[in-house]
Amino acid sequence: MSPDTAQSHPGTVAAEKQALYARSALAGYFFLTGALLPVWASRIPAVKDQAGVGADQLGLALLCMGVGAMVTARLGGALLDRCAPRFVIAPAAVAAALCLILPGTARGPQELAAALFVLGTAHSLLNVSVNTHAAVLQRPLGRSLMSSFHAFVSLGACFGALCGMFTAYAGLSPLVAFQSMGVLLALVALLPVGALVRFVPPEPRHPRPDGGAEPRPRLSPHLLLVGALVLAAMLSESAVQDWSALFAQESVGASGTFAASVFAAFTVTMTLGRLMGDRLALWLGRVNLLRSGALLVIGGFAIALGIPWPATVLLGFALVGLGLSCAVPQLFSAAAEIDPRHVGRNLGTVAAIGYLGPLVGAPVIGMLSAQFGVGTGLLLPVLLACGLALGAGVARPRGQSPLG
């Protein structure tokens, strides 16, 4: 039984205020989740030089980070079913913020790999914790909050990237930059703790009809299918992040500034889409929202890859961002509904599967790009968007008819 199973005086004005404060506090932790890794990513070249590693060694260190994130997502999600995620979020946020300092201390490939493994582990626990608690908070309302929460991840990512750029412009070493940002974010993570933990979200009980012991949870085909769609969405997001600027330079000879603006357009439209996502889910339904978003992704890639002009490349990747914006949040909501007794485990499982996307996608797209050009490499997320459109039905809310 989850510790969050009751609420004092539900429906009272005080309870409604506590719920509002808890949602605001959780939005702040989503912002922190998005802000942490861009601070590190923006200083990768400086860390690479400081640690004295080559591109191949950096790639292995980044792989260790992904492995740490995958393992923690799977194990941490199961842990969250035994303790209320609202008590885990703040410690995980402080730990992840302080772990940001570790890459700045690395002086060799082994140290960098270990530092990134720990950072990936801490960040993954925070990520699964905030998403699990978001699923718990939205259940009594009977509607999605996940997309709007994920909008704060995008806003946090913009903030983290800007902070990283500022530390580089100011000439701060990676260690000083990571120490400053890590301590700052750790202190900020302590501010909303009270509002988060005081509100006990109402949680329905799920007793077994026969009164027996609860069965051991198993990986259902339904959950694995949702995880496969999360993988497709995350791989597509990472493909645009890693290759859109390079494609703009290769296809239209764009300047560095314009190439960067292509990814900026993708980021802005993704943030806007997530801000509108929960309302769109109410209006269209989750399946139609996912399917129409996937079709928008296909159309955006068709414009960007098929009509290589500066304006169309910018427009195309902006449409891709809008189409992908709601995919991961809505799929996380679908995973949380599969078995309300094991929200953390199920979210952790699909997150772990999703983390495979960037790990697999980067070398595959890189190989295709080296042989045939970046445009050919970007056909992989186009194919995955087709799969997302065809498989969107697995995300249908529980109890909804196939025609609903």
Side-chain angles (χ1 to χ4, degrees), residues 380-402:
L380 177 59
V382 176
L383 293 175
L384 292 175
C386 294
L388 185 58
L390 293 173
V394 304
R396 182 169 287 108
R398 298 177 71 201
Q400 188 181 92
S401 70

mmCIF file with all atom_site columns, all heavy atoms in Angstrom, residues 380-402:
data_model
loop_
_atom_site.group_PDB
_atom_site.id
_atom_site.type_symbol
_atom_site.label_atom_id
_atom_site.label_alt_id
_atom_site.label_comp_id
_atom_site.label_asym_id
_atom_site.label_entity_id
_atom_site.label_seq_id
_atom_site.pdbx_PDB_ins_code
_atom_site.Cartn_x
_atom_site.Cartn_y
_atom_site.Cartn_z
_atom_site.occupancy
_atom_site.B_iso_or_equiv
_atom_site.pdbx_formal_charge
_atom_site.auth_seq_id
_atom_site.auth_comp_id
_atom_site.auth_asym_id
_atom_site.auth_atom_id
_atom_site.pdbx_PDB_model_num
ATOM 1   N N   . LEU A 1 380 ? 15.784  8.308  -39.533 1.00 0.00 ? 380 LEU A N   1
ATOM 2   C CA  . LEU A 1 380 ? 15.459  7.388  -38.440 1.00 0.00 ? 380 LEU A CA  1
ATOM 3   C C   . LEU A 1 380 ? 14.347  7.934  -37.546 1.00 0.00 ? 380 LEU A C   1
ATOM 4   O O   . LEU A 1 380 ? 13.359  7.225  -37.292 1.00 0.00 ? 380 LEU A O   1
ATOM 5   C CB  . LEU A 1 380 ? 16.713  7.074  -37.615 1.00 0.00 ? 380 LEU A CB  1
ATOM 6   C CG  . LEU A 1 380 ? 16.502  6.175  -36.395 1.00 0.00 ? 380 LEU A CG  1
ATOM 7   C CD1 . LEU A 1 380 ? 15.925  4.831  -36.796 1.00 0.00 ? 380 LEU A CD1 1
ATOM 8   C CD2 . LEU A 1 380 ? 17.810  5.996  -35.618 1.00 0.00 ? 380 LEU A CD2 1
ATOM 9   N N   . PRO A 1 381 ? 14.431  9.181  -37.039 1.00 0.00 ? 381 PRO A N   1
ATOM 10  C CA  . PRO A 1 381 ? 13.293  9.689  -36.251 1.00 0.00 ? 381 PRO A CA  1
ATOM 11  C C   . PRO A 1 381 ? 12.014  9.813  -37.066 1.00 0.00 ? 381 PRO A C   1
ATOM 12  O O   . PRO A 1 381 ? 10.922  9.732  -36.504 1.00 0.00 ? 381 PRO A O   1
ATOM 13  C CB  . PRO A 1 381 ? 13.780  11.047 -35.742 1.00 0.00 ? 381 PRO A CB  1
ATOM 14  C CG  . PRO A 1 381 ? 14.952  11.405 -36.576 1.00 0.00 ? 381 PRO A CG  1
ATOM 15  C CD  . PRO A 1 381 ? 15.577  10.115 -36.993 1.00 0.00 ? 381 PRO A CD  1
ATOM 16  N N   . VAL A 1 382 ? 12.117  9.989  -38.386 1.00 0.00 ? 382 VAL A N   1
ATOM 17  C CA  . VAL A 1 382 ? 10.904  10.015 -39.212 1.00 0.00 ? 382 VAL A CA  1
ATOM 18  C C   . VAL A 1 382 ? 10.212  8.656  -39.150 1.00 0.00 ? 382 VAL A C   1
ATOM 19  O O   . VAL A 1 382 ? 8.982   8.559  -38.967 1.00 0.00 ? 382 VAL A O   1
ATOM 20  C CB  . VAL A 1 382 ? 11.245  10.385 -40.669 1.00 0.00 ? 382 VAL A CB  1
ATOM 21  C CG1 . VAL A 1 382 ? 9.986   10.321 -41.536 1.00 0.00 ? 382 VAL A CG1 1
ATOM 22  C CG2 . VAL A 1 382 ? 11.852  11.781 -40.738 1.00 0.00 ? 382 VAL A CG2 1
ATOM 23  N N   . LEU A 1 383 ? 10.981  7.589  -39.286 1.00 0.00 ? 383 LEU A N   1
ATOM 24  C CA  . LEU A 1 383 ? 10.414  6.236  -39.197 1.00 0.00 ? 383 LEU A CA  1
ATOM 25  C C   . LEU A 1 383 ? 9.814   5.978  -37.816 1.00 0.00 ? 383 LEU A C   1
ATOM 26  O O   . LEU A 1 383 ? 8.738   5.365  -37.692 1.00 0.00 ? 383 LEU A O   1
ATOM 27  C CB  . LEU A 1 383 ? 11.491  5.203  -39.505 1.00 0.00 ? 383 LEU A CB  1
ATOM 28  C CG  . LEU A 1 383 ? 12.021  5.177  -40.949 1.00 0.00 ? 383 LEU A CG  1
ATOM 29  C CD1 . LEU A 1 383 ? 13.172  4.188  -41.072 1.00 0.00 ? 383 LEU A CD1 1
ATOM 30  C CD2 . LEU A 1 383 ? 10.908  4.835  -41.929 1.00 0.00 ? 383 LEU A CD2 1
ATOM 31  N N   . LEU A 1 384 ? 10.501  6.451  -36.782 1.00 0.00 ? 384 LEU A N   1
ATOM 32  C CA  . LEU A 1 384 ? 9.981   6.263  -35.432 1.00 0.00 ? 384 LEU A CA  1
ATOM 33  C C   . LEU A 1 384 ? 8.696   7.053  -35.211 1.00 0.00 ? 384 LEU A C   1
ATOM 34  O O   . LEU A 1 384 ? 7.795   6.608  -34.489 1.00 0.00 ? 384 LEU A O   1
ATOM 35  C CB  . LEU A 1 384 ? 11.042  6.673  -34.415 1.00 0.00 ? 384 LEU A CB  1
ATOM 36  C CG  . LEU A 1 384 ? 12.279  5.772  -34.367 1.00 0.00 ? 384 LEU A CG  1
ATOM 37  C CD1 . LEU A 1 384 ? 13.319  6.345  -33.413 1.00 0.00 ? 384 LEU A CD1 1
ATOM 38  C CD2 . LEU A 1 384 ? 11.908  4.361  -33.953 1.00 0.00 ? 384 LEU A CD2 1
ATOM 39  N N   . ALA A 1 385 ? 8.589   8.237  -35.829 1.00 0.00 ? 385 ALA A N   1
ATOM 40  C CA  . ALA A 1 385 ? 7.349   9.010  -35.727 1.00 0.00 ? 385 ALA A CA  1
ATOM 41  C C   . ALA A 1 385 ? 6.198   8.271  -36.393 1.00 0.00 ? 385 ALA A C   1
ATOM 42  O O   . ALA A 1 385 ? 5.052   8.324  -35.916 1.00 0.00 ? 385 ALA A O   1
ATOM 43  C CB  . ALA A 1 385 ? 7.544   10.387 -36.359 1.00 0.00 ? 385 ALA A CB  1
ATOM 44  N N   . CYS A 1 386 ? 6.486   7.555  -37.492 1.00 0.00 ? 386 CYS A N   1
ATOM 45  C CA  . CYS A 1 386 ? 5.449   6.726  -38.112 1.00 0.00 ? 386 CYS A CA  1
ATOM 46  C C   . CYS A 1 386 ? 4.979   5.642  -37.141 1.00 0.00 ? 386 CYS A C   1
ATOM 47  O O   . CYS A 1 386 ? 3.780   5.374  -37.018 1.00 0.00 ? 386 CYS A O   1
ATOM 48  C CB  . CYS A 1 386 ? 5.985   6.095  -39.393 1.00 0.00 ? 386 CYS A CB  1
ATOM 49  S SG  . CYS A 1 386 ? 6.361   7.262  -40.721 1.00 0.00 ? 386 CYS A SG  1
ATOM 50  N N   . GLY A 1 387 ? 5.947   5.013  -36.453 1.00 0.00 ? 387 GLY A N   1
ATOM 51  C CA  . GLY A 1 387 ? 5.581   4.011  -35.458 1.00 0.00 ? 387 GLY A CA  1
ATOM 52  C C   . GLY A 1 387 ? 4.786   4.599  -34.316 1.00 0.00 ? 387 GLY A C   1
ATOM 53  O O   . GLY A 1 387 ? 3.850   3.970  -33.801 1.00 0.00 ? 387 GLY A O   1
ATOM 54  N N   . LEU A 1 388 ? 5.121   5.827  -33.909 1.00 0.00 ? 388 LEU A N   1
ATOM 55  C CA  . LEU A 1 388 ? 4.384   6.497  -32.841 1.00 0.00 ? 388 LEU A CA  1
ATOM 56  C C   . LEU A 1 388 ? 2.944   6.770  -33.260 1.00 0.00 ? 388 LEU A C   1
ATOM 57  O O   . LEU A 1 388 ? 2.008   6.603  -32.467 1.00 0.00 ? 388 LEU A O   1
ATOM 58  C CB  . LEU A 1 388 ? 5.094   7.799  -32.472 1.00 0.00 ? 388 LEU A CB  1
ATOM 59  C CG  . LEU A 1 388 ? 4.565   8.603  -31.297 1.00 0.00 ? 388 LEU A CG  1
ATOM 60  C CD1 . LEU A 1 388 ? 4.556   7.774  -30.023 1.00 0.00 ? 388 LEU A CD1 1
ATOM 61  C CD2 . LEU A 1 388 ? 5.401   9.867  -31.093 1.00 0.00 ? 388 LEU A CD2 1
ATOM 62  N N   . ALA A 1 389 ? 2.755   7.178  -34.516 1.00 0.00 ? 389 ALA A N   1
ATOM 63  C CA  . ALA A 1 389 ? 1.397   7.427  -35.007 1.00 0.00 ? 389 ALA A CA  1
ATOM 64  C C   . ALA A 1 389 ? 0.588   6.133  -35.050 1.00 0.00 ? 389 ALA A C   1
ATOM 65  O O   . ALA A 1 389 ? -0.589  6.103  -34.671 1.00 0.00 ? 389 ALA A O   1
ATOM 66  C CB  . ALA A 1 389 ? 1.456   8.065  -36.394 1.00 0.00 ? 389 ALA A CB  1
ATOM 67  N N   . LEU A 1 390 ? 1.206   5.053  -35.506 1.00 0.00 ? 390 LEU A N   1
ATOM 68  C CA  . LEU A 1 390 ? 0.496   3.776  -35.615 1.00 0.00 ? 390 LEU A CA  1
ATOM 69  C C   . LEU A 1 390 ? 0.212   3.153  -34.253 1.00 0.00 ? 390 LEU A C   1
ATOM 70  O O   . LEU A 1 390 ? -0.815  2.496  -34.061 1.00 0.00 ? 390 LEU A O   1
ATOM 71  C CB  . LEU A 1 390 ? 1.313   2.804  -36.466 1.00 0.00 ? 390 LEU A CB  1
ATOM 72  C CG  . LEU A 1 390 ? 1.456   3.157  -37.944 1.00 0.00 ? 390 LEU A CG  1
ATOM 73  C CD1 . LEU A 1 390 ? 2.432   2.205  -38.623 1.00 0.00 ? 390 LEU A CD1 1
ATOM 74  C CD2 . LEU A 1 390 ? 0.098   3.135  -38.645 1.00 0.00 ? 390 LEU A CD2 1
ATOM 75  N N   . GLY A 1 391 ? 1.123   3.349  -33.287 1.00 0.00 ? 391 GLY A N   1
ATOM 76  C CA  . GLY A 1 391 ? 0.982   2.708  -31.985 1.00 0.00 ? 391 GLY A CA  1
ATOM 77  C C   . GLY A 1 391 ? 0.345   3.558  -30.915 1.00 0.00 ? 391 GLY A C   1
ATOM 78  O O   . GLY A 1 391 ? 0.282   3.152  -29.750 1.00 0.00 ? 391 GLY A O   1
ATOM 79  N N   . ALA A 1 392 ? -0.143  4.749  -31.266 1.00 0.00 ? 392 ALA A N   1
ATOM 80  C CA  . ALA A 1 392 ? -0.678  5.667  -30.259 1.00 0.00 ? 392 ALA A CA  1
ATOM 81  C C   . ALA A 1 392 ? -1.837  5.073  -29.473 1.00 0.00 ? 392 ALA A C   1
ATOM 82  O O   . ALA A 1 392 ? -2.099  5.474  -28.330 1.00 0.00 ? 392 ALA A O   1
ATOM 83  C CB  . ALA A 1 392 ? -1.117  6.976  -30.926 1.00 0.00 ? 392 ALA A CB  1
ATOM 84  N N   . GLY A 1 393 ? -2.532  4.104  -30.049 1.00 0.00 ? 393 GLY A N   1
ATOM 85  C CA  . GLY A 1 393 ? -3.685  3.520  -29.371 1.00 0.00 ? 393 GLY A CA  1
ATOM 86  C C   . GLY A 1 393 ? -3.346  2.836  -28.063 1.00 0.00 ? 393 GLY A C   1
ATOM 87  O O   . GLY A 1 393 ? -4.227  2.690  -27.206 1.00 0.00 ? 393 GLY A O   1
ATOM 88  N N   . VAL A 1 394 ? -2.091  2.414  -27.857 1.00 0.00 ? 394 VAL A N   1
ATOM 89  C CA  . VAL A 1 394 ? -1.742  1.754  -26.598 1.00 0.00 ? 394 VAL A CA  1
ATOM 90  C C   . VAL A 1 394 ? -1.798  2.734  -25.422 1.00 0.00 ? 394 VAL A C   1
ATOM 91  O O   . VAL A 1 394 ? -1.809  2.298  -24.269 1.00 0.00 ? 394 VAL A O   1
ATOM 92  C CB  . VAL A 1 394 ? -0.348  1.096  -26.665 1.00 0.00 ? 394 VAL A CB  1
ATOM 93  C CG1 . VAL A 1 394 ? -0.260  0.114  -27.812 1.00 0.00 ? 394 VAL A CG1 1
ATOM 94  C CG2 . VAL A 1 394 ? 0.756   2.138  -26.775 1.00 0.00 ? 394 VAL A CG2 1
ATOM 95  N N   . ALA A 1 395 ? -1.823  4.033  -25.707 1.00 0.00 ? 395 ALA A N   1
ATOM 96  C CA  . ALA A 1 395 ? -1.870  5.032  -24.639 1.00 0.00 ? 395 ALA A CA  1
ATOM 97  C C   . ALA A 1 395 ? -3.286  5.422  -24.265 1.00 0.00 ? 395 ALA A C   1
ATOM 98  O O   . ALA A 1 395 ? -3.482  6.342  -23.469 1.00 0.00 ? 395 ALA A O   1
ATOM 99  C CB  . ALA A 1 395 ? -1.091  6.281  -25.063 1.00 0.00 ? 395 ALA A CB  1
ATOM 100 N N   . ARG A 1 396 ? -4.279  4.706  -24.803 1.00 0.00 ? 396 ARG A N   1
ATOM 101 C CA  . ARG A 1 396 ? -5.681  5.046  -24.506 1.00 0.00 ? 396 ARG A CA  1
ATOM 102 C C   . ARG A 1 396 ? -5.942  4.938  -23.004 1.00 0.00 ? 396 ARG A C   1
ATOM 103 O O   . ARG A 1 396 ? -5.554  3.958  -22.365 1.00 0.00 ? 396 ARG A O   1
ATOM 104 C CB  . ARG A 1 396 ? -6.618  4.102  -25.263 1.00 0.00 ? 396 ARG A CB  1
ATOM 105 C CG  . ARG A 1 396 ? -8.094  4.397  -25.061 1.00 0.00 ? 396 ARG A CG  1
ATOM 106 C CD  . ARG A 1 396 ? -8.961  3.602  -26.028 1.00 0.00 ? 396 ARG A CD  1
ATOM 107 N NE  . ARG A 1 396 ? -8.849  4.147  -27.376 1.00 0.00 ? 396 ARG A NE  1
ATOM 108 C CZ  . ARG A 1 396 ? -8.208  3.552  -28.371 1.00 0.00 ? 396 ARG A CZ  1
ATOM 109 N NH1 . ARG A 1 396 ? -7.615  2.383  -28.182 1.00 0.00 ? 396 ARG A NH1 1
ATOM 110 N NH2 . ARG A 1 396 ? -8.170  4.105  -29.571 1.00 0.00 ? 396 ARG A NH2 1
ATOM 111 N N   . PRO A 1 397 ? -6.566  5.959  -22.408 1.00 0.00 ? 397 PRO A N   1
ATOM 112 C CA  . PRO A 1 397 ? -6.838  5.911  -20.957 1.00 0.00 ? 397 PRO A CA  1
ATOM 113 C C   . PRO A 1 397 ? -7.657  4.693  -20.590 1.00 0.00 ? 397 PRO A C   1
ATOM 114 O O   . PRO A 1 397 ? -8.470  4.190  -21.363 1.00 0.00 ? 397 PRO A O   1
ATOM 115 C CB  . PRO A 1 397 ? -7.627  7.202  -20.705 1.00 0.00 ? 397 PRO A CB  1
ATOM 116 C CG  . PRO A 1 397 ? -7.206  8.125  -21.799 1.00 0.00 ? 397 PRO A CG  1
ATOM 117 C CD  . PRO A 1 397 ? -6.967  7.248  -22.996 1.00 0.00 ? 397 PRO A CD  1
ATOM 118 N N   . ARG A 1 398 ? -7.423  4.199  -19.364 1.00 0.00 ? 398 ARG A N   1
ATOM 119 C CA  . ARG A 1 398 ? -8.130  3.003  -18.875 1.00 0.00 ? 398 ARG A CA  1
ATOM 120 C C   . ARG A 1 398 ? -9.625  3.258  -18.846 1.00 0.00 ? 398 ARG A C   1
ATOM 121 O O   . ARG A 1 398 ? -10.092 4.293  -18.424 1.00 0.00 ? 398 ARG A O   1
ATOM 122 C CB  . ARG A 1 398 ? -7.660  2.661  -17.473 1.00 0.00 ? 398 ARG A CB  1
ATOM 123 C CG  . ARG A 1 398 ? -6.191  2.320  -17.383 1.00 0.00 ? 398 ARG A CG  1
ATOM 124 C CD  . ARG A 1 398 ? -5.806  2.079  -15.944 1.00 0.00 ? 398 ARG A CD  1
ATOM 125 N NE  . ARG A 1 398 ? -6.379  0.821  -15.454 1.00 0.00 ? 398 ARG A NE  1
ATOM 126 C CZ  . ARG A 1 398 ? -6.554  0.547  -14.168 1.00 0.00 ? 398 ARG A CZ  1
ATOM 127 N NH1 . ARG A 1 398 ? -6.253  1.422  -13.250 1.00 0.00 ? 398 ARG A NH1 1
ATOM 128 N NH2 . ARG A 1 398 ? -7.040  -0.610 -13.790 1.00 0.00 ? 398 ARG A NH2 1
ATOM 129 N N   . GLY A 1 399 ? -10.354 2.263  -19.313 1.00 0.00 ? 399 GLY A N   1
ATOM 130 C CA  . GLY A 1 399 ? -11.811 2.353  -19.274 1.00 0.00 ? 399 GLY A CA  1
ATOM 131 C C   . GLY A 1 399 ? -12.416 3.095  -20.449 1.00 0.00 ? 399 GLY A C   1
ATOM 132 O O   . GLY A 1 399 ? -13.639 3.143  -20.573 1.00 0.00 ? 399 GLY A O   1
ATOM 133 N N   . GLN A 1 400 ? -11.576 3.692  -21.337 1.00 0.00 ? 400 GLN A N   1
ATOM 134 C CA  . GLN A 1 400 ? -12.120 4.414  -22.468 1.00 0.00 ? 400 GLN A CA  1
ATOM 135 C C   . GLN A 1 400 ? -12.347 3.439  -23.617 1.00 0.00 ? 400 GLN A C   1
ATOM 136 O O   . GLN A 1 400 ? -11.538 2.565  -23.886 1.00 0.00 ? 400 GLN A O   1
ATOM 137 C CB  . GLN A 1 400 ? -11.148 5.509  -22.915 1.00 0.00 ? 400 GLN A CB  1
ATOM 138 C CG  . GLN A 1 400 ? -11.723 6.445  -23.973 1.00 0.00 ? 400 GLN A CG  1
ATOM 139 C CD  . GLN A 1 400 ? -10.716 7.494  -24.392 1.00 0.00 ? 400 GLN A CD  1
ATOM 140 O OE1 . GLN A 1 400 ? -9.968  7.326  -25.331 1.00 0.00 ? 400 GLN A OE1 1
ATOM 141 N NE2 . GLN A 1 400 ? -10.685 8.599  -23.662 1.00 0.00 ? 400 GLN A NE2 1
ATOM 142 N N   . SER A 1 401 ? -13.453 3.577  -24.299 1.00 0.00 ? 401 SER A N   1
ATOM 143 C CA  . SER A 1 401 ? -13.761 2.687  -25.408 1.00 0.00 ? 401 SER A CA  1
ATOM 144 C C   . SER A 1 401 ? -12.833 2.967  -26.580 1.00 0.00 ? 401 SER A C   1
ATOM 145 O O   . SER A 1 401 ? -12.303 4.068  -26.705 1.00 0.00 ? 401 SER A O   1
ATOM 146 C CB  . SER A 1 401 ? -15.211 2.876  -25.862 1.00 0.00 ? 401 SER A CB  1
ATOM 147 O OG  . SER A 1 401 ? -15.363 4.137  -26.490 1.00 0.00 ? 401 SER A OG  1
ATOM 148 N N   . PRO A 1 402 ? -12.620 2.000  -27.459 1.00 0.00 ? 402 PRO A N   1
ATOM 149 C CA  . PRO A 1 402 ? -11.767 2.216  -28.603 1.00 0.00 ? 402 PRO A CA  1
ATOM 150 C C   . PRO A 1 402 ? -12.196 3.368  -29.475 1.00 0.00 ? 402 PRO A C   1
ATOM 151 O O   . PRO A 1 402 ? -11.385 3.947  -30.181 1.00 0.00 ? 402 PRO A O   1
ATOM 152 C CB  . PRO A 1 402 ? -11.853 0.865  -29.356 1.00 0.00 ? 402 PRO A CB  1
ATOM 153 C CG  . PRO A 1 402 ? -12.252 -0.138 -28.320 1.00 0.00 ? 402 PRO A CG  1
ATOM 154 C CD  . PRO A 1 402 ? -13.115 0.599  -27.383 1.00 0.00 ? 402 PRO A CD  1
#
